[in-house]
Amino acid sequence: MKTRHLHEGIAYAVLSYMIWGFTPIYWKLLQHVTAAEILAQRICWSFVFMLAVLYVGGKASAFVTFLKCLPRQEKSCGALFLAAVLISANWGIFMWAVLNGKIIEASLGQYITPLVSMLVGVVALKERPSRSEALAFCLAGSGVLILTLHYGAIPWLALSLAFSFAFYGLVKKTLQTDSSIGLALETLTLAPLALLYLYHLSLQAPLQFNDSFANAALLAGSGVVTALPLLLFTKSAKTVSLSQLGILQYISPTLSLVSGIFLYQETVSAVHWLAFFFIWSALALHACSSLLQQQRRAA
C-alpha cells in the first residue's frame, strides 16, 4: 500500500512539472493579448477554479470558517497578502518572458530556483548547508556570473523568477492552512484588484477576452493551467520525499528550454551553453547530495 501511494505521488509530481514545463506553449497562444490582461484574467479565473475545487472537495464550509477567523489573525493576513503578491509577480514575470521571446532566460531562472531557495533558507532560517550544497551554489553562481559578464548586465529576469518563488516558499512555511484553502485565499486576496484593473482596461478599449471565443476559452482556462499543477504538486509532496521532488522539478525548466530552442527558435549562444553547464553541474551535485542524505537517514 505504501509503495502504491509513493508511485501515485511520483505520478502527481511528474504531471505537475510537465504542465509547468509546457505552459510556455499555452501562453504563446495568447501572445496577441497583453501580459497585464492575461495576468489579471489568470488571477480571477484561478480563484473561480479554486472555488470549484473547494466545493467538489467538500471544503467550502472550512474555507468560509477560515475567512471569518482571518480578521483576528493579523500576521496570517499579512503573510497571505505577501504570498499572493510574490506568486502573482512570479506568474507575471514568466508570462512576460514567454511573450517576449525569452523562454530560455526564464528556464534559467527555473533551474536556479532550488539553489536560491537554499540561499534563502541559510539567510532567513539560519539553515546550515553541507559542503556539497555550498559547492553547488558556487557553481550555479559562476553560471549566473558568466551570463552577467556576457550581457554586460545582471540577468534580472532569471533572478527575479528565482527569488520571487523562493521567497514565496519561505512565506508559505509560516502559513498553517490546507493547501487548497491557502491557494484560494491567495487568489482571493488579489482578485478584487485584478477585477478593478480589468474594469479600468475596459473603459479604455474592449477587453481582448471579448474578441473571440478562442480568446475567452484560453483566458478562462488559464485558471486551470495556473492552479492545477500547484494542487498536484501539493498532493505529491505528502508521499514523495523532498530530495526526490528536487530531482523531478528539473523536468519543468528542461521542457521550457527545449520548447524555446526547437519550437520558437530562440538563439542559444556558446556562452549560454557554458553557463548552463555550470548550472547543470550544480544541480547534479545537489541532487546526488540529497539522495545520499536520504539513504543515510534511511539506513
Side-chain angles (χ1 to χ4, degrees):
M1 183 66 71
K2 187 175 181 180
T3 302
R4 185 173 66 84
H5 287 314
L6 176 61
H7 289 165
E8 287 178 356
I10 291 174
Y12 287 135
V14 170
L15 185 56
S16 67
Y17 289 130
M18 287 183 69
I19 294 173
W20 275 322
F22 285 123
T23 50
I25 300 174
Y26 192 91
W27 303 129
K28 278 289 188 181
L29 297 174
L30 287 165
Q31 60 185 351
H32 55 285
V33 182
T34 63
E37 181 175 342
I38 295 174
L39 179 59
Q41 295 276 5
R42 188 178 180 183
I43 292 170
C44 293
W45 288 109
S46 295
F47 176 59
V48 172
F49 176 71
M50 287 310 305
L51 286 181
V53 169
L54 291 175
Y55 178 78
V56 172
K59 297 180 180 179
S61 57
F63 176 69
V64 173
T65 302
F66 193 90
L67 275 179
K68 290 178 180 178
C69 299
L70 200 57
R72 297 192 296 271
Q73 303 176 34
E74 294 182 4
K75 289 185 178 180
S76 294
C77 286
L80 276 170
F81 180 75
L82 183 56
V85 169
L86 286 168
I87 196 60
S88 61
N90 185 272
W91 293 343
I93 294 167
F94 185 79
M95 281 191 310
W96 183 91
V98 171
L99 297 177
N100 287 273
K102 297 183 182 294
I103 297 176
I104 292 174
E105 193 171 348
S107 69
L108 169 66
Q110 292 176 312
Y111 272 122
I112 64 176
T113 293
L115 298 169
V116 172
S117 296
M118 183 186 73
L119 175 64
V120 170
V122 170
V123 175
L125 303 178
K126 308 303 180 185
E127 295 177 353
R128 296 185 63 182
S130 64
R131 291 181 181 179
S132 58
E133 288 174 334
L135 179 57
F137 183 79
C138 291
L139 284 170
S142 299
V144 175
L145 180 60
I146 288 170
L147 283 179
T148 300
L149 295 175
H150 173 64
Y151 286 128
I154 297 172
W156 289 113
L157 193 152
L159 291 175
S160 297
L161 279 171
F163 274 95
S164 59
F165 198 81
F167 278 111
Y168 171 73
L170 177 65
V171 174
K172 289 285 282 185
K173 278 184 173 291
T174 67
L175 290 170
Q176 302 299 321
T177 59
D178 176 84
S179 56
S180 54
I181 290 177
L183 185 55
L185 287 169
E186 289 165 26
T187 51
L188 171 62
T189 302
L190 292 179
L193 294 176
L195 283 171
L196 283 174
Y197 180 72
L198 289 173
Y199 175 70
H200 170 72
L201 286 180
S202 68
L203 296 178
Q204 299 177 333
L207 292 176
Q208 290 172 287
F209 178 88
N210 302 318
D211 285 353
S212 65
F213 175 78
N215 270 10
L218 287 168
L219 287 169
S222 67
V224 180
V225 172
T226 297
L228 181 59
L230 280 172
L231 291 174
L232 290 171
F233 170 77
T234 303
K235 195 172 181 64
S236 71
K238 293 179 180 178
T239 55
V240 183
S241 68
L242 290 177
S243 59
Q244 287 175 308
L245 286 175
I247 296 169
L248 291 172
Q249 76 177 20
Y250 300 124
I251 293 172
S252 174
T254 301
L255 291 175
S256 296
L257 179 64
V258 169
S259 64
I261 295 172
F262 295 104
L263 288 181
Y264 305 111
Q265 285 77 52
E266 290 190 16
T267 303
V268 188
S269 65
V271 176
H272 277 100
W273 287 122
L274 180 61
F276 274 115
F277 171 77
F278 275 97
I279 291 166
W280 286 332
S281 299
L283 297 178
L285 180 61
H286 181 62
C288 290
S289 173
S290 297
L291 283 175
L292 286 173
Q293 288 178 10
Q294 184 187 14
Q295 289 174 356
R296 287 169 186 164
R297 283 195 293 268

